Amino acid sequence: MPGSRLTQQDRRRIAAGLADGLSYADIAKRLDRPTSTVTREVMRNGGPVEYRADRAHHATGLRARRGRRSGACTPATATAVAAYGRDEEAVRDYDERLTRLLVDMGLPRMAAGVLACLYTTDSGNITAADLVQRLRVSPASISKAVGYLEGQEMIRRERDASQRRDRYVIDEDVWYRAMLISAQLAAVLAETACDGAGVLGADTPAGARLKGMGEVLEHVGHDLLRSVEHWRHAFSTQQQPRDLAP
C-alpha cells in the first residue's frame, strides 16, 4: 500500500524492473507507489547499476536499528538540507534527475553521481567518505569515479591538512573548457568536411552534402566560441564585487 514500508518482495520487484530497463515511474506504477519512493530506494542502495534487493532490504534494517539506538532519523547530509529550509525529498529527486542528464551526456553513471553531489553541495567540495555515505556505494566505486573525473579535469583534489584527508573540488572553468573543446572540434570537422567536398567534387551530390555540412559547422563553431567568451567575461565581472567584499 502507498505510504507503507517497502517489503522484501517489493524490493525484488524493483530489482526486476531495473533489470528489464524500466523507468522509476514504470516500476512505481507496478508497485502502486510514488515515483519518489522508488527513486530514493534505488539511490540509497547503490543506484540502478548496483542495486540488489536482498542487500538493500538488509541495509534498510540495519539503518533502522542504528537510528533507533542513536535517535537519528535522517542521514548526515540532511542537516545541510534542513539548514536552508530545503525539501529533502525534492533535493534527492533533483540529484537523481541531474545524474541521469549527465549520464545521457556521456558520463559513466558513478562519475555522474559524484559530479551531481559536488554541484548540489553548498561548499563545492566533498571527501571520499562523504561520497560513500551520500551515494551508498563502496569506497572502491568512489575511487574509480573520482579518478575518471580527475583525468577529464572536471574536478581537482585538494589536501585538507587539518584533517589529513583529500577533498574533491569542482573546477570552476570546467564548462568553459568543455564548450571550448566543442567549438574546436566543430572547426576541425568543418575543415574536414570542406576537404571532402574538394576530393569528391563540390558539384556532385556527395560533395555538396559535405560542403553544406562544413558551412554549418563553421558557423556553429564561431557562434559557440563567441558565446562562451562572452559569458565567461560576464560571469567573471559578476563575481568581482563578491570576491572583493570584506
Side-chain angles (χ1 to χ4, degrees), residues 139-162:
S141 296
I142 296 299
S143 178
K144 183 177 180 180
V146 297
Y148 173 87
L149 292 171
E150 284 184 290
Q152 298 296 313
E153 298 184 355
M154 302 186 78
I155 64 173
R156 67 178 186 276
R157 186 189 309 239
E158 292 183 351
R159 186 67 174 173
D160 187 339
S162 63

Side-chain angles (χ1 to χ4, degrees), residues 111-148:
V114 169
L115 199 59
C117 281
L118 275 165
Y119 269 100
T120 55
T121 299
D122 289 295
S123 65
N125 67 78
I126 199 166
T127 66
D130 292 333
L131 288 168
V132 167
Q133 181 183 27
R134 185 162 172 177
L135 296 177
R136 305 288 183 182
V137 296
S138 68
S141 296
I142 296 299
S143 178
K144 183 177 180 180
V146 297
Y148 173 87

Side-chain angles (χ1 to χ4, degrees), residues 55-130:
R55 186 173 64 191
H57 193 70
H58 178 67
T60 300
L62 289 177
R63 285 196 295 269
R65 288 194 291 274
R66 284 199 299 266
R68 286 193 293 269
R69 288 197 299 268
S70 65
C73 59
T74 56
T77 52
T79 303
V81 172
Y84 287 90
R86 294 167 180 152
D87 183 323
E88 183 183 349
E89 181 174 326
V91 171
R92 290 182 187 277
D93 288 346
Y94 177 76
D95 278 349
E96 171 59 16
R97 182 155 61 94
L98 179 57
T99 299
R100 288 199 305 269
L101 178 60
L102 292 171
V103 169
D104 290 343
M105 292 174 64
L107 283 180
R109 175 76 197 192
M110 193 54 61
V114 169
L115 199 59
C117 281
L118 275 165
Y119 269 100
T120 55
T121 299
D122 289 295
S123 65
N125 67 78
I126 199 166
T127 66
D130 292 333

